[in-house]
Amino acid sequence: MPKISIILAVYNVEPYLRRCLDSLANQTMKDLEFICVDDCSTDKSLEILKEYEVKDTRFKIITSQVNGGAAVARNKGLDVAQGEYLSFVDPDDALEESFCEKLYSIAEKTHADIVKGSIKTFNLDGKIQISNLNKSIRKNKYAFINRWTTAIYKRSIVVENNIRFPEECRKGQDVVFLNRVLLKSKTIELVDDVYYLNYKRKGSLNAAIIPIESIKSAIKAVKLRYDDLNNSNLYEEDKKSYAYAYSKRMKMLFNTFYQNNTKEAQELCANAIIDDYFYCKAMDELDNVFLYPPLCKVIKEKDIKQLIKIMSKYKNANELYKINNKIKSKLKLFSIDTSVKNRKTHKIITFLGLKFKFKIKEGNNA
């Protein structure tokens, strides 16, 4: 039995495929299997895969008869995987040579359900970025909302809970899978000094403008994640973590809003934001951790036109987040808290970020 099964969904990635396959073949850990599912490529991707299959018996090739998308291809890989742990690589990306060895060494010591590394992104402008998502996950594991290829997952968790990629979603199916594994996992270990290598390219699924069908698919994927949250025991066990997880997963809707600026796409996203906000079981808790606090009012009023108008003022979701939270901070510079316990006898006034508690004299209505 291999220690790790690495699954690749391959479709028309001829210019990048050798880089990816070389990074697998050259892993310092050797007890691996590489399951490559060709999803009816029309270029030379399948020919390249067969070359590696001949040179290295760890490569196993599955060919699809119909192009079904990444979710279908990955599920075919899950069906034949034998490894103790599972990992996934996009065929236009690569792994650092020590990726598998470092993550598995931690898994072997801790028996963790998930062991996660970091990501190094090579942008089109030549700049290199390193993800700091692990820092947030250390505070709350439900911050693990994306970067799913940076981790290895205990296969028994996937098999015993019948976790699959949702085949009805062409976009967002990967984060649905991640969410489902995360909800069933008890332990997660984080490793900062090993990298999944992500290469941005033109024409990829992460392109700036995505078609309307992908918008619909992304919205459906978010709804599936909420269904999984609501059907889990997380709300009953820990309302704060439930609300935090819910808020973090709403981020995908805000990102999607900026990926297609047509009226139809923006209305779809705005409607989804409002619907999903009210789908939350713990709305009071959600307000406390909501990523875009000044938008709560228009969302609660279900004012789609105003929501679109406000969001359209910003270039992307990150800018929306930064500016909205600056507004939130300014609002906190001066306020009077009327919701505190014993508010008839005390008031809390915030001034320049400092909180002062004042005792109210009897008969003083000021």
Side-chain angles (χ1 to χ4, degrees):
M1 183 184 292
K3 298 291 192 299
I4 303 175
S5 297
I6 300 178
I7 298 173
L8 292 80
V10 178
Y11 179 70
N12 287 355
V13 284
E14 178 187 346
Y16 321 99
L17 187 54
R18 291 183 189 278
R19 176 181 64 197
C20 178
L21 300 182
D22 284 341
S23 79
L24 301 184
N26 295 329
Q27 286 293 299
T28 55
M29 182 178 182
K30 302 304 178 185
D31 197 0
L32 308 168
E33 70 172 353
F34 312 121
I35 303 169
C36 308
V37 185
D38 182 72
D39 197 24
C40 296
S41 295
T42 56
D43 62 3
K44 293 183 179 180
S45 292
L46 182 56
E47 292 179 31
I48 295 171
L49 291 175
K50 288 180 177 179
E51 286 179 26
Y52 281 78
E53 185 180 36
V54 171
K55 292 187 295 183
D56 190 334
T57 57
R58 295 177 299 171
F59 285 91
K60 298 174 175 61
I61 313 303
I62 298 173
T63 55
S64 299
Q65 300 303 310
V66 179
N67 177 262
V72 175
R74 286 168 177 151
N75 283 337
K76 288 180 179 180
L78 289 179
D79 290 337
V80 300
Q82 296 296 313
E84 182 184 352
Y85 282 82
L86 298 168
S87 187
F88 302 86
V89 179
D90 289 332
D92 50 354
D93 291 334
L95 298 181
E96 200 173 57
E97 286 187 1
S98 60
F99 183 87
C100 291
E101 183 176 6
K102 285 187 175 180
L103 295 190
Y104 185 79
S105 66
I106 300 297
E108 194 173 30
K109 291 175 185 176
T110 63
H111 305 288
D113 296 328
I114 301 172
V115 184
K116 183 188 177 302
S118 300
I119 190 166
K120 190 178 289 185
T121 299
F122 298 83
N123 292 302
L124 293 173
D125 59 6
K127 293 181 180 179
I128 300 174
Q129 292 177 309
I130 294 178
S131 167
N132 62 353
L133 187 59
N134 286 359
K135 184 178 179 181
S136 298
I137 297 172
R138 285 188 173 94
K139 296 177 182 177
N140 190 309
K141 78 171 188 175
Y142 293 103
F144 192 8
I145 57 172
N146 55 11
R147 309 300 190 190
W148 73 293
T149 50
T150 60
I152 60 174
Y153 307 89
K154 190 176 283 185
R155 188 168 66 89
S156 60
I157 297 285
V158 175
V159 173
E160 290 167 9
N161 294 286
N162 193 29
I163 297 173
R164 310 285 285 177
F165 291 87
E167 297 183 0
E168 66 270 31
C169 297
R170 285 265 178 167
K171 185 174 176 63
Q173 40 79 31
D174 46 5
V175 290
V176 174
F177 175 87
L178 169 62
N179 193 57
R180 289 172 175 172
V181 177
L182 197 63
L183 283 168
K184 295 297 182 180
S185 298
K186 294 180 180 178
T187 54
I188 177 170
E189 294 288 337
L190 303 168
V191 187
D192 294 328
D193 63 344
V194 62
Y195 297 100
Y196 178 94
L197 308 178
N198 171 236
Y199 294 88
K200 295 295 184 183
R201 64 181 178 89
K202 293 180 180 178
S204 71
L205 286 175
N206 293 319
I209 303 299
I210 62 175
I212 196 70
E213 288 306 314
S214 292
I215 295 283
K216 293 177 181 179
S217 179
I219 290 171
K220 185 180 292 184
V222 174
K223 181 62 164 58
L224 286 175
R225 292 205 284 176
Y226 294 146
D227 286 342
D228 292 333
L229 278 175
N230 286 347
N231 291 330
S232 72
N233 294 325
L234 185 59
Y235 173 76
E236 288 77 16
E237 294 171 356
D238 186 348
K239 287 184 181 180
K240 287 186 177 180
S241 288
Y242 165 85
Y244 178 84
Y246 203 97
S247 175
K248 282 289 184 180
R249 278 139 192 80
M250 281 197 81
K251 186 177 181 180
M252 185 175 175
L253 290 175
F254 287 90
N255 285 330
T256 304
F257 179 91
Y258 294 98
Q259 291 183 309
N260 185 318
N261 60 4
T262 64
K263 182 180 179 182
E264 181 184 5
Q266 290 185 339
E267 286 181 351
L268 281 170
C269 290
N271 269 298
I273 288 169
I274 292 170
D275 288 345
D276 290 348
Y277 179 88
F278 283 95
Y279 191 54
C280 181
K281 288 183 176 182
M283 288 176 59
D284 290 343
E285 292 286 353
L286 178 61
D287 286 350
N288 293 330
V289 294
F290 196 63
L291 296 174
Y292 315 94
L295 294 181
C296 282
K297 186 174 185 292
V298 291
I299 291 173
K300 287 180 177 178
E301 292 172 350
K302 299 185 179 182
D303 192 339
I304 293 172
K305 290 183 179 179
Q306 186 65 12
L307 180 60
I308 293 172
K309 183 179 178 180
I310 294 172
M311 291 181 66
S312 297
K313 293 178 181 179
Y314 305 99
K315 294 179 182 178
N316 52 53
N318 284 335
E319 185 178 280
L320 175 68
Y321 173 78
K322 289 176 182 177
I323 294 176
N324 272 257
N325 278 272
K326 280 184 180 178
I327 294 170
K328 180 183 177 182
S329 297
K330 287 180 180 178
L331 290 173
K332 283 188 173 181
L333 288 177
F334 180 81
S335 64
I336 299 176
D337 189 348
T338 59
S339 63
V340 294
K341 189 177 180 181
N342 300 324
R343 60 181 177 271
K344 291 183 179 180
T345 58
H346 293 82
K347 285 187 183 294
I348 292 180
I349 296 177
T350 302
F351 180 70
L352 296 178
L354 300 174
K355 289 186 176 182
F356 301 91
K357 186 174 182 180
F358 294 93
K359 186 174 181 179
I360 303 171
K361 290 182 179 180
E362 190 173 348
N364 187 352
N365 294 319

